[in-house]
Each structure stands twice: as structure tokens, then as C-alpha cells.
Amino acid sequence: MSALPEDSPRERILATATRLFAERGYDATSTRAIGDAVGLNIATVAYHVGAKPELYREVMRRAHLAQREVVAEALVRLHACDPTPEETRAALLAFVDDYLTFCLRRPEVPALWMRRWLAEGADHSDIESEFAGPLVAEVAAAVRAVLDRAGLGPGADVEMLVFTIVWTSHSFGQAGVIDPAGTRRGPLDLPVLDRFRRHLHTVVTAVLDQGA
């Protein structure tokens, strides 16, 4: 089946719903608000995408697929590295950089997941069990295998490391940091972005050095 054109009613509804769910959260976003933003009535919205729960699930499914595509490609590169400690360490840091770059290029995806961290759409727990949980487990298993191959991080909690990368990348991309003057500085501030990236590398490297 060919993809729908980006200006089709369904695609416009999904794009708008993605933006509003990311900005306001599931509970504060009504189907009427989505329809108004697109210029369609509720009945037309429902015809193209179903009721609000179905629409939200499709938004989260697409967010997951975008996330999974980047992660899968990064895992291929990670597995392809030479099995030496030096090359494995560098490859894992490149994996971290790939994920951070994704978060900065697709800010709506981290925003959607962070809304869920705040218990938005709590009655849709299957989203975690079907999307987030399996992906984290897959990444943790893949990273553990690559580390074992290189003799790195025998005492590391790899699953918690994966969560740490996700938490920090999502949070920095959305909120940045606050400087001593109280000014929020985000990823568009390149020195701050470079500082954050170096700090994240330091954290990852420290975890890998456990038990070394």
C-alpha cells in the first residue's frame, strides 16, 4: 500500500495531533481541538483516524517507529565495530551521539514520551508494554553483548545505562540547562550542547569502566 500524501486529511490530522499531544499531553488535548487546528469537524476527524484513543495510539506508534529506525541503524554500526575495548568504547559513544541527534531533530518524539512519564494517557499502558519496553530490552541486550565481546563493563547495569541515556537526552533536548543567572539554555546554544555531550560521554565511559 502506498503512503498517503502529506497533505491528505489523515496525515494532516496525525501531524497536528502529534504536535498538540506533545505540547499539551493526552489529557489536555481534545479531538475538537485537533479538528479545529486542522479545520475539520469532529465527525471528519473520527472518519479518518477513529476516536481519540485510536488517534493517540497511532501517534505513539509512529513516534516509536521513528525512534526504532534510528536505534536499529545505530545498533548495526555498533555491532560492526572491531571487538577491541577502544573501538567498542568509541562505537558506543557514537551510538549515544546518534540517539541524542535524533532527539534534537525530532523533539516531538521525546516530548510525547516525557508526557507519558508524567502519567499522561495512563489508561494506555499497552503503549509501554508493546513499544518502549521491548525496545529498551533489545538495546540493553545488544549493548551487553558488544561489551562482553570486548571485555568492557562486566559490572555495569546496562539496562539502567540505557535508561540514563534516554532520560538525559530527552530532558536536555526539551529543557536544556539553567545557567547561574537563571537563563534557560538549550541545544541551540552550541557551547552548552557540546558541554552536555561531553558530560554524557563521561557518564557512559565511567559506567563502562566499572569492574575494569
Side-chain angles (χ1 to χ4, degrees):
M1 180 181 294
S2 60
L4 293 174
E6 292 184 1
D7 61 348
S8 71
R10 177 177 170 81
E11 291 303 316
R12 289 192 294 117
I13 292 167
L14 286 166
T16 300
T18 298
R19 175 175 60 81
L20 293 180
F21 285 142
E23 291 175 356
R24 306 177 185 179
Y26 177 80
D27 299 333
T29 302
S30 66
T31 306
R32 182 179 297 279
I34 294 169
D36 288 346
V38 182
L40 300 171
N41 60 42
I42 294 178
T44 303
V45 171
Y47 171 79
H48 287 289
V49 296
K52 179 179 170 181
E54 288 73 35
L55 172 56
Y56 179 66
R57 181 176 176 78
E58 178 61 14
V59 165
M60 294 306 302
R61 186 186 73 85
R62 290 184 174 208
H64 165 73
L65 290 177
Q67 191 176 29
R68 183 177 182 79
E69 180 179 7
V70 168
V71 167
E73 292 175 355
L75 285 179
V76 168
R77 290 189 289 273
L78 179 62
H79 278 294
C81 76
D82 290 336
T84 63
E86 296 75 18
E87 290 297 322
T88 300
R89 192 188 306 272
L92 184 58
L93 294 179
F95 178 93
V96 171
D97 287 344
D98 287 340
Y99 189 72
L100 175 60
T101 298
F102 167 74
C103 290
L104 301 182
R105 289 179 176 173
R106 297 288 304 273
E108 75 281 4
V109 176
L112 287 166
W113 285 114
M114 291 177 73
R115 287 288 182 182
R116 293 197 60 76
W117 296 352
L118 298 173
E120 291 279 356
D123 53 335
H124 297 282
S125 60
D126 60 312
I127 287 175
E128 274 72 22
S129 62
E130 183 174 346
F131 299 148
L135 184 57
V136 169
E138 178 182 344
V139 172
V143 170
R144 178 76 273 169
V146 170
L147 294 182
D148 288 346
R149 186 180 67 181
L152 283 173
D157 187 332
V158 174
E159 183 181 58
M160 196 57 68
L161 176 62
V162 172
F163 277 120
T164 299
I165 294 167
V166 171
W167 294 330
T168 53
S169 297
H170 286 205
S171 299
F172 176 76
Q174 294 297 304
V177 298
I178 297 177
D179 69 14
T183 302
R184 189 177 298 280
R185 301 191 179 280
L188 294 180
D189 187 321
L190 296 184
V192 171
L193 172 58
D194 182 62
R195 180 183 168 196
F196 172 76
R197 192 188 305 276
R198 284 187 283 109
H199 175 70
L200 189 54
H201 284 195
T202 299
V203 171
V204 172
T205 299
V207 172
L208 298 187
D209 288 341
Q210 289 183 12

